[in-house]
């Protein structure tokens, strides 16, 4: 696409919590022509950094053994504005105006993602 620019905004804050834990809040926004190179992402809804729309994330990190072993609990809310997030194929189409002829692949407009993980550093 000649003359089309894409951009992304990524911001967040981390708050200290009792028991040396941390609470994080993040926001991502990707414009209509935003294309992030995160093709190796292993999430079902692709990388939040590749979203053409808004992604809100909140997480809580609780250390178990100093900074070497910790648990992370979080949630992400994806609110897509355009089709094709993370996919360079096809013209992005505003999801509110989408017809069956506009999408090459299935289209998701909103997603809640809940997750839990443990990390061990050595």
């Amino acid at each position: 696409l000649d003359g089309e620019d894409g951009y992304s905004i990524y911001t967040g804050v981390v708050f200290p919590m009792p028991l040396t834990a941390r609470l994080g809040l993040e926001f991502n926004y990707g414009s209509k022509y935003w294309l992030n190179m995160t093709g190796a992402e292993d999430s079902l809804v692709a990388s939040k950094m590749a979203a053409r729309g808004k992604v809100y994330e909140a997480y809580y990190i609780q250390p178990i053994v100093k900074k070497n072993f910790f648990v992370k609990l979080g949630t992400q809310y994806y609110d897509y504005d355009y089709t094709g997030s993370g996919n360079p194929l096809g013209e992005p189409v505003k999801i509110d105006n989408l017809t069956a002829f506009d999408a090459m692949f299935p289209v998701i407009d909103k997603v809640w993602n809940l997750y839990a993980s443990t990390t061990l550093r050595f």
Side-chain angles (χ1 to χ4, degrees), residues 15-85:
F15 300 100
M17 302 298 287
L19 303 173
T20 67
R22 294 173 285 161
L23 174 67
L25 303 172
E26 297 182 4
F27 172 76
N28 301 70
Y29 174 78
S31 69
K32 178 178 181 177
Y33 293 106
W34 171 246
L35 182 62
N36 187 315
M37 300 301 169
T38 55
E41 173 68 30
D42 63 353
S43 171
L44 291 175
V45 293
S47 168
K48 72 176 188 173
M49 299 301 291
R52 292 178 178 161
K54 299 167 281 299
V55 180
Y56 305 90
E57 181 173 14
Y59 55 86
Y60 182 83
I61 300 173
Q62 178 61 60
I64 306 298
V65 179
K66 299 183 183 178
K67 293 185 178 183
N68 295 332
F69 180 56
F70 57 89
V71 175
K72 182 177 181 181
L73 304 171
T75 185
Q76 298 170 322
Y77 177 69
Y78 290 70
D79 186 6
Y80 294 105
D81 293 334
Y82 297 93
T83 61
S85 291

